[in-house]
Amino acid sequence: MHRDVFKAIADPTRREIINLIAHQSMNLNAVADNFDMSRPAVSKHIKILTQCGLLVIKQHGRERYCRADLKQLKEVTDWAEQYRRFWTNKLDALDTFLTNEQNTPSI
């Protein structure tokens, strides 16, 4: 099952998990130790992140380690970029309008 990356980042706990693992690979217990919730609840968040392709789980001996794979966040960046361009253009037009208004002599 492949989930929507937007659903993954919609939850603050999942965003924090991504933030933790983005800096270093961690075993599942170490990830869970950072949260005030049950290990099964953290595991559900990790499962969603894995299904979205944002985390990769690797087995090393008896331990399972999470590694971030943030390429999927490009979809979010691309989506947000269209709105950044839209608002940049609108604000530039407003700036031009206000500058012209200030430079126009009053009657």
Side-chain angles (χ1 to χ4, degrees), residues 2 4 6 15 17 33 35 46 49 51 58-60 69 78 81 83 86 90:
H2 182 74
D4 185 2
F6 291 92
R15 289 192 306 266
I17 291 171
D33 287 342
F35 298 93
I46 289 174
L49 291 169
Q51 291 172 339
K58 295 286 184 182
Q59 188 84 29
H60 291 285
D69 184 3
D78 292 346
E81 176 62 21
Y83 295 101
F86 172 81
K90 293 292 185 188

Side-chain angles (χ1 to χ4, degrees), residues 13-14 17-18 21 26-32 35 39-57 64-67:
T13 300
R14 289 193 286 270
I17 291 171
I18 292 168
I21 297 173
M26 299 175 78
N27 71 33
L28 295 175
N29 288 328
V31 173
F35 298 93
R39 291 194 191 289
V42 173
S43 291
K44 286 182 182 181
H45 286 295
I46 289 174
K47 181 179 180 179
I48 291 170
L49 291 169
T50 302
Q51 291 172 339
C52 291
L54 294 172
L55 294 184
V56 176
I57 307 289
R64 294 175 65 206
Y65 284 86
C66 299
R67 177 182 56 81

